Amino acid sequence: VFNAKTAELLSHHQVEINQKFPREGWVEQDPKEILKSVYECVEKTCEKLKQLNINISNIKAIGVTNQRETTVVWDKTTGEPLYNAIVWLDLRTQSTVERLLKRIPGKNKAFSKFKTGLPLSTYFSAVKLRWLLDNVEEIRKAVDDGRAMFGTIDSWLIWSLTGGKNGGIHCTDVTNASRTMLFNIHSLEWDPELCQFFDIPMEILPKVRSSSEIYGLMKICPSLKSGALTGVPISGCLGDQSAALVGQMCFKDGQAKNTYGTGCFLLCNTGQKSVFSEHGLLTTIAYKLGRDKPVCYALEGSVAIAGAVVRWLRDNLGIAKSSQEVEKLAAEVGTSYGCYFVPAFSGLYAPYWEPSARGIICGLTQFTNKNHIAFAALEAVCFQTREILDAMNKDCGIPLSQLQVDGGMTNNKILMQLQSDILCIPVVKPSMPETTALGAAMAAGAAEGVGVWSLNPGDLTAVTCERFEPQINPEESEYRYARWKKAVMKSMGWETSEAPSNGKPK
């Protein structure tokens, strides 16, 4: 909960959601558990507000933000999910992608790039939905009976919170729709040709709306006795990376933010024109903050392994017991002493899209110890960000003058200083880390009919920030970056399909 005048965080509550891994490469979550966690967070946060003597009748609007691409199909007559949610990084659709590629002339992965901004990949919702229709009998039957509804997590939540089977609103916003591979990002409508290509019935799709308008009102939930916010409008909806862009107030062309989580997501606002990348980035919808407001686009670069490399050092190598300890090991030496770490654990994402790459640590000498490897791992996150930033600068033509950052890993001061040194520009981190939630709250509060939050740049409260300025000379930075590029080249083409099968782990 935020104060709409000052953007100050007043109260919050969080609940961890279980991930299920039924097979290697499969990642699922229970949609009912996600919904229950939302109700629990609402009730607990309202209790905390009462303890602060804040009347909950002051809550004027609710915003929703979610991990994008995660796919749910549910039954509109019973309100029950028909299968677990398939999470964005799930890889079960690899064979679906290969089958679809055969139907495209020249097997061109970028066949829908100018409509959707996306390449054909396991990442996006359409292929997950195709898998569900092909493999889950119950879902096929529900579609035939006209009972099925498809949505990303935002749609499932909004439908459930506004009444579910008793009149729930089935909608999504343009940012989430732009990650399905079924949405034309220019006409802002579901694309009949793409729906036909994926063989997806259009009647199961949600209605697409702007990111900031009243979708419906919160209804009481009888089974969970949750009614603290009954009657409050749900009026903001943004995919998490778009929400962070809004929360960081990147409203001008050329402003960018990088979110450091398990992976890294760098988004650059390109304004009212969609820019198509020549360097392996995605074109996506940044936001549309009102029914009559223009749509704004962004270029997005994704790195698969960022925070995950620190977790790997902790869990797989056991060289540290915590993320903080990795930071401490790195701080003790302050250099990698010529050691480079390329964490291509699942191939390389942007800007290479090279699935044959594997992780390597090179430049080792008898002098190298675990401190140097810890330092090299942190440096790897920074080098990967630099590669995406270089691609972005080439595509946009305007080099970034500073990088705004958020996400869990930004608490690591060594990492933030390194990032500034390697990019040769300042890195700016807001003191309030919940920028994704803030973005959703801003969209909700600014909606027509709510109007408690102004998005005029002059009215936006300046957020207090920590700044990290480059401290090494650019020549040294360039030298280290060139060595990193050399290491990346060595990591490529490692996996080949010709390996002998005897004794090779499957």
Side-chain angles (χ1 to χ4, degrees):
V1 178
F2 295 91
N3 177 324
K5 294 281 175 281
T6 63
E8 178 199 356
L9 178 64
L10 299 176
S11 173
H12 64 96
H13 186 75
Q14 65 185 50
V15 174
E16 195 165 320
I17 291 165
N18 290 308
Q19 304 247 40
K20 300 177 169 59
F21 306 99
R23 297 191 198 171
E24 190 187 356
W26 291 31
V27 192
E28 297 178 2
Q29 290 172 344
D30 177 354
K32 290 177 78 174
E33 187 193 334
I34 295 174
L35 180 61
K36 202 166 146 272
S37 76
V38 168
Y39 280 122
E40 188 183 327
C41 286
V42 166
E43 296 301 313
K44 289 280 199 309
T45 305
C46 288
E47 281 168 27
K48 290 178 186 175
L49 282 176
K50 283 177 187 157
Q51 288 161 10
L52 294 165
N53 290 326
I54 296 171
N55 190 331
I56 60 169
S57 68
N58 286 320
I59 295 179
K60 296 301 178 211
I62 296 164
V64 173
T65 178
N66 56 295
Q67 287 191 338
R68 308 163 302 169
E69 301 97 18
T70 299
T71 300
V72 195
V73 179
W74 67 95
D75 184 322
K76 65 179 169 199
T77 55
T78 63
E80 295 290 311
L82 293 165
Y83 194 82
N84 276 337
I86 300 183
V87 177
W88 63 277
L89 41 65
D90 183 285
L91 293 174
R92 77 185 66 185
T93 51
Q94 192 57 60
S95 56
T96 311
V97 169
E98 282 159 17
R99 198 182 73 239
L100 290 165
L101 265 179
K102 289 186 182 132
R103 293 175 38 202
I104 302 166
K107 290 190 175 180
N108 176 15
K109 274 187 184 163
F111 82 109
S112 72
K113 177 172 159 179
F114 292 106
K115 275 185 179 180
T116 64
L118 312 171
L120 182 58
S121 154
T122 57
Y123 188 8
F124 308 110
S125 316
V127 285
K128 295 173 165 52
L129 179 51
R130 186 64 257 152
W131 187 93
L132 288 167
L133 292 166
D134 289 337
N135 292 282
V136 184
E137 180 58 42
E138 221 179 320
I139 287 183
R140 269 203 301 273
K141 196 168 166 357
V143 169
D144 294 342
D145 298 349
R147 291 180 285 115
M149 285 183 161
F150 151 80
T152 39
I153 297 296
D154 54 309
S155 300
W156 160 246
L157 290 177
I158 292 172
W159 184 80
S160 302
L161 298 171
T162 56
K165 60 185 178 183
N166 305 313
I169 307 291
H170 189 212
C171 68
T172 186
D173 89 301
V174 289
T175 66
N176 281 294
S178 78
R179 310 295 289 192
T180 58
M181 276 206 97
L182 300 172
F183 188 67
N184 185 314
I185 60 174
H186 312 291
S187 67
L188 305 187
E189 284 169 350
W190 296 119
D191 189 282
E193 282 177 17
L194 286 169
C195 291
Q196 202 180 346
F197 174 77
F198 288 103
D199 192 16
I200 284 165
M202 293 182 78
E203 57 277 9
I204 73 173
L205 303 177
K207 185 174 177 349
V208 183
R209 310 198 23 199
S210 77
S211 314
S212 175
E213 61 178 85
I214 295 175
Y215 311 109
L217 307 180
M218 278 283 273
K219 298 274 193 327
I220 195 158
C221 173
S223 61
L224 294 168
K225 301 189 179 45
S226 172
L229 297 180
T230 303
V232 178
I234 299 177
S235 55
C237 178
L238 288 157
D240 53 1
Q241 303 307 327
S242 284
L245 195 73
V246 171
Q248 287 266 28
M249 311 196 194
C250 295
F251 293 126
K252 291 196 188 83
D253 281 26
Q255 284 186 309
K257 67 89 203 164
N258 196 23
T259 301
Y260 296 76
T262 305
C264 265
F265 295 91
L266 179 59
L267 266 72
C268 178
N269 189 336
T270 62
Q272 292 177 42
K273 59 180 191 300
S274 50
V275 175
F276 289 94
S277 175
E278 298 298 315
H279 304 94
L281 306 178
L282 308 176
T283 305
T284 202
I285 294 183
Y287 50 78
K288 181 183 187 329
L289 294 172
R291 224 173 301 193
D292 310 319
K293 295 285 195 295
V295 65
C296 287
Y297 296 92
L299 272 175
E300 173 171 343
S302 14
V303 166
I305 304 288
V309 71
V310 174
R311 214 168 37 236
W312 183 83
L313 289 177
R314 185 191 72 194
D315 299 344
N316 296 34
L317 291 195
I319 71 170
K321 290 188 184 64
S322 66
S323 313
Q324 287 74 27
E325 204 180 321
V326 173
E327 182 180 359
K328 215 170 112 230
L329 288 171
E332 283 168 15
V333 285
T335 168
S336 72
Y337 203 78
C339 163
Y340 288 83
F341 189 159
V342 182
F345 299 153
S346 41
L348 289 165
Y349 278 33
Y352 300 103
W353 301 105
E354 185 52 76
S356 71
R358 285 297 174 268
I360 61 167
I361 302 177
C362 54
L364 302 174
T365 66
Q366 279 178 310
F367 183 72
T368 312
N369 61 31
K370 65 181 180 181
N371 299 67
H372 300 120
I373 290 172
F375 194 94
L378 295 184
E379 224 174 13
V381 175
C382 301
F383 285 134
Q384 290 183 106
T385 299
R386 161 103 192 239
E387 290 188 303
I388 287 186
L389 200 68
D390 282 0
M392 217 157 252
N393 287 340
K394 284 179 198 148
D395 281 329
C396 292
I398 327 155
L400 270 194
S401 54
Q402 61 172 37
L403 181 65
Q404 291 171 228
V405 300
D406 57 82
M409 281 188 95
T410 59
N411 294 327
N412 183 328
K413 286 186 161 41
I414 299 275
L415 181 74
M416 293 297 98
Q417 184 55 54
L418 255 179
Q419 187 67 85
S420 175
D421 289 346
I422 286 164
L423 297 178
C424 304
I425 57 174
V427 165
V428 181
K429 175 199 163 193
S431 52
M432 196 283 296
E434 301 291 343
T435 37
T436 305
L438 176 62
M442 289 166 68
E448 192 183 337
V450 178
V452 294
W453 205 306
S454 164
L455 297 180
N456 294 336
D459 300 336
L460 292 171
T461 319
V463 184
T464 52
C465 290
E466 200 173 346
R467 274 176 81 86
F468 296 86
E469 303 276 349
Q471 289 179 355
I472 62 174
N473 65 38
E475 289 75 34
E476 192 195 335
S477 180
E478 290 308 315
Y479 172 74
R480 275 156 60 179
Y481 184 50
R483 292 284 288 267
W484 155 264
K485 293 278 231 196
K486 197 170 161 186
V488 171
M489 289 303 143
K490 302 247 185 268
S491 78
M492 287 192 196
W494 192 261
E495 261 316 298
T496 58
S497 45
E498 290 85 68
S501 57
N502 54 336
K504 183 169 178 272
K506 273 282 176 282

